[in-house]
Amino acid sequence: MTPLVGAKITALGTYVPPRLLTNDDLEKMVDTTNDWILERTGIRERHIVDKGVASSDLAFEAANAILKQRGIAPTEIETILVATVTPDMLFPSTACLVQEKLGAKGAWGFDVSAACSGFLFTLQTAVQFVQTGAHKKVLAIGADVMSSIINYEDRATCVIFGDGAGAVLVEPAEDGDPNVFIDYIHEIDGSGGCSLYMPAGGSKHPSSHETVDKKMHYVHQDGQAVFKYAVRKMAEVSEKLLQRNGLTGHDLDLFIPHQANRRIIMSAAERLGMPEDKVVINIGEYGNTTAGTIPLAMGTAREQGKLKKGSLVLLASVGAGFTVGATLLRWGAED
Ligand code: COA
């Protein structure tokens, strides 16, 4: 479908809590080593919230940075979309909490649950609202406090995840502006539900002494099953998106993938024929922040001077569900 209006990213905001949890710290908590974590995942450290800090707090910081950058009042925001698997609570939505914290009076919005693909699914939802002409200023936010659902006695999961948030503002482009969203392919595949999930706290297993005793309120993961699926699907969906737009990896300025594991990223990048200097990897500093990884990686690319107005960028993700996403765009924000 040809959009009525081009949609573009006009601003980016990111936030991570200041406290660090390093591999050295984890060596003292579980039976692991810095070498194992670095070699198997590429992670050196991650940022972790202090007690009482929730996803809406991180989301607010990222969104507020955007308002300052664009010099716009909170009341100009029409829609707030928040991707998260760690909402402050089951309801109200984190979007409502962010709306209140920002003072975005008159906005509407909601949460999107798609785990590590949450940011891309949220971004596409924002793009649709702009492309149809329904809204002119939409915030797409990815925010997760993964430390709130991690078992820090389980070495297989606690080394991977961190806390963080990022947001972009999506606005209409002027006629003829090439720096817009180009195309996307997103998929869900529920057959992977049992490979990565949090069993308790929902309607199937409401929280109880039993669910807590059985540690069902934490992330449960079959790491190898997720790894194999992610390696296959991230490359597959990315290649499909490039092909149908008559492009190859060589045409791209940047590949900004979800940061789950350095080996997953490099395997997808190799399949796409992307040289390492065009692949954004910041998992070493942040770990896997779930819905936060892609905007945080955009922030890293911008700091490194690699993400510029007009850059042709491929975003890609695989997450729990399974959820899969690939988005092709030209970066629209001023440098
Ligand atoms: N430190 C040291 N050893 C560890 C460890 C840790 N933190 N975690 C697991 N191990 C051990 C395992 O117990 C196993 O030991 P064994 O051979 O004696 O049984 C060994 O390391 C290999 O485990 P395995 O699970 O095969 O390792 P792996 O190479 O697959 O790496 C993951 C594990 C989790 C890093 C990897 O599977 C992965 O990244 N999966 C995808 C996870 C992901 O991206 N999740 C988010 C979805 S977006």
Side-chain angles (χ1 to χ4, degrees), residues 31-32 36 40-41 116 155-156 159-161 196 221 223-224 226-227 258 260-261 263-264 288 318-319:
D31 181 14
T32 192
W36 191 95
R40 306 311 291 164
T41 69
C116 296
R155 67 177 183 174
V159 301
I160 296 173
F161 294 97
L196 180 52
Q221 172 170 266
Q224 286 202 7
V226 177
F227 188 90
H258 167 56
N261 184 312
R263 291 182 293 142
I264 295 174
N288 181 348
V318 173

Side-chain angles (χ1 to χ4, degrees), residues 39-61:
E39 189 194 314
R40 306 311 291 164
T41 69
I43 303 168
R44 277 194 309 278
E45 59 193 27
R46 54 301 287 131
H47 292 248
I48 300 289
V49 298
D50 287 323
K51 202 169 188 292
V53 176
S55 292
S56 70
D57 298 309
L58 309 192
F60 162 75
E61 295 290 350

Side-chain angles (χ1 to χ4, degrees), residues 14-327:
T14 60
Y15 182 77
V16 288
R19 186 150 69 99
L20 282 179
L21 180 66
T22 66
N23 289 353
D24 289 348
D25 296 330
L26 285 164
E27 280 184 358
K28 294 175 197 119
M29 295 161 66
V30 287
D31 181 14
T32 192
T33 62
N34 174 53
D35 289 349
W36 191 95
I37 303 170
L38 255 183
E39 189 194 314
R40 306 311 291 164
T41 69
I43 303 168
R44 277 194 309 278
E45 59 193 27
R46 54 301 287 131
H47 292 248
I48 300 289
V49 298
D50 287 323
K51 202 169 188 292
V53 176
S55 292
S56 70
D57 298 309
L58 309 192
F60 162 75
E61 295 290 350
N64 201 34
I66 283 183
L67 297 186
K68 286 192 183 144
Q69 205 182 108
R70 281 283 283 122
I72 55 175
T75 46
E76 289 183 59
I77 299 297
E78 294 169 37
T79 311
I80 299 170
L81 309 175
V82 181
T84 187
V85 289
T86 51
D88 292 28
M89 49 198 116
L90 275 179
F91 67 90
S93 71
T94 309
C96 288
L97 304 174
V98 174
Q99 179 273 335
E100 168 69 8
K101 284 178 184 172
L102 276 178
K105 214 168 160 21
W108 76 298
F110 50 88
D111 289 2
V112 173
S113 174
C116 296
S117 298
F119 181 74
L120 288 196
F121 286 20
T122 300
L123 184 60
Q124 193 53 41
T125 310
V127 168
Q128 301 296 141
F129 283 132
V130 172
Q131 287 182 337
T132 56
H135 293 297
K136 289 193 165 58
K137 283 188 171 47
V138 184
L139 276 176
I141 307 172
D144 271 303
V145 174
M146 294 306 290
S147 61
S148 66
I149 56 170
I150 292 298
N151 177 2
Y152 284 97
E153 291 176 353
D154 174 14
R155 67 177 183 174
T157 51
C158 74
V159 301
I160 296 173
F161 294 97
D163 303 337
V168 295
L169 183 64
V170 182
E171 297 187 74
E174 300 280 325
D175 273 356
D177 184 344
N179 301 323
V180 293
F181 283 84
I182 300 168
D183 200 2
Y184 75 100
I185 298 176
H186 295 348
E187 287 177 25
I188 57 173
D189 177 357
S191 69
C194 56
S195 296
L196 180 52
Y197 67 125
M198 192 177 101
S203 53
K204 190 172 171 74
H205 298 293
S207 309
S208 66
H209 288 293
E210 190 193 355
T211 63
V212 173
D213 289 344
K214 290 183 172 166
K215 303 188 191 307
M216 292 165 70
H217 56 302
Y218 291 131
V219 169
H220 288 238
Q221 172 170 266
D222 176 346
Q224 286 202 7
V226 177
F227 188 90
K228 282 182 194 150
Y229 187 86
V231 162
R232 179 168 66 83
K233 285 302 285 192
M234 189 179 273
E236 198 177 291
V237 77
S238 298
E239 269 183 335
K240 199 167 151 189
L241 184 63
L242 289 177
Q243 266 166 22
R244 85 172 185 198
N245 285 278
L247 299 168
T248 70
H250 298 286
D251 300 307
L252 295 171
D253 293 309
L254 275 185
F255 178 43
I256 307 185
H258 167 56
Q259 310 283 312
N261 184 312
R262 195 175 201 286
R263 291 182 293 142
I264 295 174
I265 296 172
M266 287 317 296
S267 151
E270 272 164 34
R271 267 245 330 246
L272 297 174
M274 299 287 303
E276 203 168 335
D277 65 325
K278 289 188 174 183
V279 182
V280 183
I281 303 181
N282 66 0
I283 193 170
E285 297 91 83
Y286 300 116
N288 181 348
T289 56
T290 302
T293 62
I294 289 182
L296 283 171
M298 289 170 167
T300 297
R302 194 172 61 175
E303 278 162 28
Q304 293 172 345
K306 290 181 177 175
L307 184 59
K308 300 192 179 102
K309 193 172 180 180
S311 296
L312 182 60
V313 182
L314 176 70
L315 313 173
S317 64
V318 173
F322 290 119
T323 56
V324 184
T327 299

